[in-house]
Amino acid sequence: MTKPLKGERPKGLGLTRRQLLSRSVAAGASFVVGAGFVASGTAAWAMETTAIKPESMATLIQMARDIYPHDQVADEFYAIAVKGYDSAENAEQVEAGITELNAAATAAGHADYLSIGWEEDRVAVLKAIEGGVFFQTIRAGLVTGLYNQKALWPIFGYEGESFSLGGYIERGFDDINWL
Amino acid sequence: MVAKFDLTDDSVVVIIGTGAGGGVLANELAQKGVKVVALEAGGRYLPEDYINDEWESFSQLAWLDARTTSGSWRVAKDFGGLPAWIVKAVGGTTTHWAGASLRFQDHEWKALTTYGAVEGASLLDWPIDAAEMAPWYEKAEDKLGVTRTGNRPGLPGNNNYKVFEKGALALGYKEVSTGRMAIESSNENSSRIACQQTGFCFQGCKWGAKWSAAYTDIPEGEATGNLEVRERSHVAKILHNDEGKVTGVEYFDAEGNLQFQAARIVCLAGNTFESPRLLLNSASSMFPNGLANSSDQVGRNYMRHTTGSVYGIFDKPVKMWRGTTMAGIVQDEARHDPSRGFVGGYELETLALGLPFMAAFLNPGAWGRGFTTALDHYENMAGMWIVGEDMPQSTNRVTLSDATDQYGLKVANVHFDDHPNDVAMRNHAYKQGMAIYDAVGATRSFPTPPYPSTHNLGTNRMSERPEDGVCNKWGQTHDIANLFISDGSQFTTGAAENPTLTIVALAIRQADHIAREMAAGTI
């Protein structure tokens, strides 16, 4: 389900597809996790984890997508956005947050967050914890962690820096043609 | 040759802050032969330093020192430590401003007389009027090179403007144009290059096409040999003698060492939070409530303009980020017409944010598909900003917080509640703004809440009577003859117009007054 983006692979991708699949188990519908890594279901990308459990990282990535769902944006971008939580400094709080999230999922009758098939059901679980510090920290972090990735901008049509190209004076600042 | 004055030289005028008020005042005084030391808390950044990247630029230029907030305004919830989006750098917020340069309408100088008393508002008339200000506005427009004034042509409209213009004309609006902007529209008769429609006006103009004190007034003043700008110098306290005259300022220099600069006159231009904060932090046994505060008006009547944004989504691309950030204006609603359900008026001005800031400001705190499906159509989005006159209220105020900054100085707490007039105006503006986009076939439009304030006004206001405000019609404080207010905090009321041109006009006028009084030996 996840296509690799040419030239935009996240750092930390160090496993071959075969290595990956031989060492992994499914985590939810989108991810596979193994010892110390989480990867997309198609093994298009993988990320090693050092401080938090790979299942927790998979949960974070899914949570990130459910908070700011863009169907045209690949999982890599969400993975990069939450990668920083895999640190010794953050591990305890992140694991506690994931436990809180899974508890909310269980309370809603699911096995855990990642096993919920429909986005709207996962959103209902997020709603239950959205007032808490964990949710708000993850959400606030995504505002820059996700949307400030330059590689993501073209997906939204945003062109970024323009000074080096001479601005738009001769490159379509007034080229609207449908009014 | 850049001047260098001695710390003990008590013949200098010390100006605190180098933005639209302080930067212009510094140059104007220097041109008249007055010796000036300008103390600027931020560093010096020039066009080659500016960054076409919203967050990187924000880290480079924004005032990020601690502040706290209170009140029911949404900024306190969404951006509690960032009540204002203003700049800490030589040139101040003139690096960041979009360039809109509008004169007050004549009646706006007399808000109390025109609108009558408004319950809960502390309205006053300015002690000056349109006739008094007209020649100073003309000088300010010439200095800034304002389009559509003098013989300067208007700027061409970008895509965002074209959408806005078509919708506005369809609604029957008449006063629709690319506005009066302090952005060069032609390469003739100017030292500045014409606008290259690059966007990123908020991040500092890398062409120098937009007027900013950082690369105009400041170097011009320095070239006279009468102006010394000390950057990364954070003023902690204004000192005074037993006669109640100010004698100079204590400041932390770039190395963090506390220095004392003597002064004949001190002019305060640190913007509307820092200026009252400094007066309050300068309390003494003689002035226990802070300097120039016998009226208890220091910090009160904080105004931020009634703002908000409207974005429209269309079924085809707009690419609003291309070209000038503020590319056009509708002025029909700027009139005073109480039949709309509020006093005063508002301007509608196009505005564009890049994707990163759109994500941060579109609906702060929102998540899920209601939010993301709007961003999905970023390329097809058009945007505008509301600028309306808000009501001064004595309870909207800057006070000293218990929190302290990196120097151990108490920081400003900014309290703000909307007045019912502000709410009625904003809702009217939201409705009209959305109607503009609907008239061009928007498939979705939405009202976006106010951003951290960029227009910060009123906390040391000008008043005829000393008990109503902090300074007189020259910006001279009622209590202390050699202490002046030189920034937007002297605004008695905010009017509907972006404030920079008026701040600049007042600074030119104040320089004239100070130089004259110094020559006469009265200050």
Side-chain angles (χ1 to χ4, degrees):
Chain A
M1 57 166 39
T2 302
K3 290 178 185 166
L5 286 172
K6 281 177 189 166
E8 300 296 350
R9 293 196 154 210
K11 288 171 190 163
L13 195 156
L15 302 168
T16 66
R17 178 187 172 88
R18 194 180 46 170
Q19 286 172 323
L20 201 76
L21 294 181
S22 69
R23 290 164 49 189
S24 62
V25 296
S30 304
F31 307 106
V32 292
V33 300
F37 71 91
V38 56
S40 70
T42 57
W45 59 271
M47 192 165 79
E48 290 172 301
T49 60
T50 56
I52 66 172
K53 290 186 282 189
E55 292 83 357
S56 298
M57 181 53 76
T59 305
L60 274 181
I61 297 168
Q62 184 64 57
M63 181 182 175
R65 177 178 286 288
D66 293 335
I67 291 173
Y68 291 125
H70 294 286
D71 297 334
Q72 73 279 36
V73 172
D75 279 332
E76 283 100 318
F77 294 99
Y78 292 97
I80 290 168
V82 296
K83 193 172 188 295
Y85 294 110
D86 178 36
S87 72
E89 186 190 1
N90 293 320
E92 193 178 334
Q93 278 182 296
V94 169
E95 296 292 5
I98 297 295
T99 301
E100 177 197 359
L101 176 63
N102 282 328
T106 307
H110 309 284
D112 60 21
Y113 187 77
L114 272 183
S115 70
I116 304 172
W118 283 91
E119 177 185 307
E120 62 191 77
D121 294 332
R122 290 192 302 273
V123 166
V125 171
L126 291 176
K127 285 275 180 198
I129 66 159
E130 72 172 331
V133 172
F134 174 65
F135 178 90
Q136 286 304 331
T137 302
I138 300 298
R139 187 205 60 73
L142 284 169
V143 173
T144 47
L146 180 64
Y147 296 110
N148 206 33
Q149 293 179 45
K150 287 193 170 95
L152 173 137
W153 295 348
I155 300 172
F156 292 83
Y158 181 50
E159 297 168 290
E161 188 273 337
S162 79
F163 172 73
S164 68
L165 302 168
Y168 294 101
I169 188 77
E170 290 173 356
R171 295 192 310 123
F173 78 101
D174 62 349
D175 66 356
I176 196 162
N177 60 9
W178 54 264
L179 279 170
Chain B
M1 185 199 69
V2 175
K4 177 87 182 112
F5 297 111
D6 205 79
L7 288 169
T8 58
D9 186 346
D10 60 4
S11 70
V12 303
V13 173
V14 166
I15 300 175
I16 302 163
T18 60
V24 169
L25 179 64
N27 180 29
E28 292 287 320
L29 286 175
Q31 298 294 337
K32 295 172 192 297
V34 176
K35 292 186 260 178
V36 176
V37 173
L39 300 172
E40 168 54 54
R44 192 181 294 238
Y45 305 94
L46 294 170
E48 58 268 31
D49 305 316
Y50 302 147
I51 306 166
N52 267 199
D53 180 291
E54 290 178 312
W55 283 116
E56 272 188 65
S57 173
F58 187 77
S59 300
Q60 180 189 51
L61 298 174
W63 183 286
L64 299 173
D65 289 8
R67 285 170 176 150
T68 60
T69 47
S70 58
S72 57
W73 58 328
R74 190 169 155 180
V75 167
K77 173 175 164 280
D78 295 329
F79 305 97
L82 190 78
W85 178 9
I86 56 178
V87 170
K88 183 178 181 179
V90 173
T93 306
T94 65
T95 53
H96 159 77
W97 77 313
S101 301
L102 306 169
R103 297 187 184 197
F104 278 23
Q105 301 165 81
D106 290 3
H107 68 268
E108 289 172 326
W109 295 102
K110 303 297 167 190
L112 178 58
T113 300
T114 309
Y115 307 155
V118 174
E119 192 181 344
S122 48
L123 280 172
L124 270 188
D125 289 348
W126 286 66
I128 47 181
D129 60 18
E132 160 73 23
M133 288 304 294
W136 305 106
Y137 268 139
E138 195 173 326
K139 288 178 196 293
E141 287 164 350
D142 286 344
K143 175 191 285 287
L144 272 52
V146 177
T147 60
R148 290 199 169 80
T149 71
N151 294 316
R152 291 169 285 265
L155 286 159
N158 65 1
N159 291 335
N160 200 23
Y161 174 72
K162 288 183 168 182
V163 173
F164 175 81
E165 179 192 53
K166 183 165 186 187
L169 295 177
L171 284 196
Y173 284 135
K174 304 278 189 256
E175 297 172 63
V176 186
S177 76
T178 56
R180 295 184 167 196
M181 305 296 294
I183 298 177
E184 221 28 70
S185 56
S186 126
N187 282 320
E188 292 168 29
N189 309 318
S190 173
S191 55
R192 304 201 314 254
I193 189 176
C195 174
Q196 302 298 299
Q197 300 288 340
T198 297
F200 296 100
C201 300
F202 285 166
Q203 283 69 37
C205 180
K206 288 191 70 65
W207 303 97
K210 178 185 78 180
W211 177 83
S212 166
Y215 43 80
T216 59
D217 280 72
I218 297 291
E220 286 166 21
E222 287 174 325
T224 66
N226 295 320
L227 169 62
E228 178 187 355
V229 176
R230 292 184 202 149
E231 56 202 64
R232 301 186 192 278
S233 294
H234 187 108
V235 179
K237 193 173 186 179
I238 301 169
L239 301 184
H240 63 84
N241 60 19
D242 294 342
E243 284 87 55
K245 293 280 185 65
V246 298
T247 53
V249 303
E250 281 183 348
Y251 69 96
F252 291 95
D253 67 16
E255 282 74 48
N257 299 314
L258 194 63
Q259 306 284 2
F260 175 76
Q261 172 64 54
R264 176 171 171 182
I265 293 171
V266 172
C267 299
L268 195 44
N271 210 315
T272 281
F273 299 159
E274 296 307 309
S275 288
R277 174 195 180 204
L278 190 49
L279 292 174
L280 296 172
N281 265 333
S282 299
S284 64
S285 53
M286 185 184 254
F287 301 114
N289 297 323
L291 294 191
N293 197 23
S294 65
S295 62
D296 190 34
Q297 292 294 307
V298 168
R300 294 187 184 274
N301 312 303
Y302 167 54
M303 296 170 288
R304 60 183 305 261
H305 273 146
T306 292
T307 70
S309 303
V310 176
Y311 292 93
I313 292 174
F314 300 86
D315 59 350
K316 296 186 184 68
V318 176
K319 303 181 193 287
M320 66 172 168
W321 64 87
R322 292 183 174 185
T324 47
T325 301
M326 201 162 272
I329 188 167
V330 169
Q331 300 198 265
D332 300 65
E333 300 286 1
R335 71 192 191 280
H336 169 58
D337 173 8
S339 72
R340 292 173 298 180
F342 52 88
V343 300
Y346 63 86
E347 315 274 358
L348 296 172
E349 301 171 350
T350 78
L351 183 80
L353 297 179
L355 183 75
F357 274 16
M358 187 58 72
F361 294 124
L362 179 65
N363 188 7
W367 59 279
R369 288 199 183 258
F371 176 83
T372 56
T373 54
L375 273 189
D376 282 339
H377 303 291
Y378 173 75
E379 192 174 10
N380 296 7
M381 222 180 248
M384 73 174 85
W385 194 51
I386 299 157
V387 194
E389 178 165 11
D390 59 340
M391 290 294 104
Q393 300 178 71
S394 65
T395 50
N396 284 345
R397 63 188 296 203
V398 170
T399 54
L400 294 180
S401 168
D402 290 333
T404 54
D405 67 6
Q406 64 269 39
Y407 303 107
L409 304 167
K410 287 187 171 180
V411 308
N413 181 73
V414 183
H415 181 97
F416 190 88
D417 300 301
D418 277 324
H419 186 280
N421 196 76
D422 306 342
V423 176
M425 179 187 288
R426 181 180 296 118
N427 288 337
H428 189 275
Y430 277 152
K431 183 165 148 283
Q432 293 308 110
M434 290 167 76
I436 284 175
Y437 289 143
D438 289 346
V440 205
T443 55
R444 185 175 171 189
S445 57
F446 32 85
T448 290
Y451 311 130
S453 316
T454 50
H455 300 171
N456 298 283
L457 306 166
T459 53
N460 294 308
R461 72 178 179 180
M462 201 182 265
S463 64
E464 187 70 48
R465 302 188 311 166
E467 58 266 40
D468 291 332
V470 177
C471 60
N472 68 16
K473 68 176 188 173
W474 302 109
Q476 182 180 32
T477 62
H478 290 301
D479 295 352
I480 302 174
N482 66 339
L483 176 61
F484 284 78
I485 309 297
S486 311
D487 57 17
S489 71
Q490 69 187 308
F491 277 38
T492 310
T493 53
E497 291 74 27
N498 310 55
T500 299
L501 182 75
T502 302
I503 295 173
V504 169
L506 288 170
I508 299 171
R509 176 174 168 273
Q510 188 180 68
D512 194 62
H513 175 76
I514 288 175
R516 192 169 57 239
E517 296 300 311
M518 286 177 79
T522 55
I523 315 176

